[in-house]
Amino acid sequence: VQLQASGGGLVQAGGSLRLSCATSGHTSGAHAVGWFRQAPRKDREFVAAIRWSGGVTYYADSVKGRFTISGNNDKNTVYLQMNGLKLEDTAVYYCAESFSLAGRNLYIVPTGYDYWGQGTQVTVSS
């Protein structure tokens, strides 16, 4: 399984970016895709996740109302639309795929995922 994250870049505060993650897809047995981020000298933190079945979504409180996760089953791609970006959103963003059928408690932690992409840098400037 290989995941490919893309779409990062440099954006001014208040701006928008859309990240994409090419996944193996639901037909491979995967149940959910999550986005995490890691800023320098900080732990990797949960951002958002989506279950392929039913499109159930989960968000960290820090991004709720600003970020939207969505999935395209035909393209096996998950998107993270990020609006109203803040300086504190600066980080390397990773997508990950889970082959476990579970709920929020599993999908909001890195250990809930089986495969990870390489990460894409998002830098928000003032």
Side-chain angles (χ1 to χ4, degrees), residues 36 44-46 96 103-113 116:
F36 289 76
R44 190 167 297 191
E45 67 170 355
F46 169 73
R104 177 181 177 84
N105 286 346
L106 185 70
Y107 294 145
I108 63 173
V109 294
T111 53
Y113 294 84
W116 292 80

Side-chain angles (χ1 to χ4, degrees), residues 66-81:
R66 300 188 297 123
F67 292 10
T68 303
I69 188 170
S70 61
N72 184 317
N73 278 310
D74 293 337
K75 295 184 178 180
N76 292 336
T77 301
V78 170
Y79 305 97
L80 184 68
Q81 178 67 45

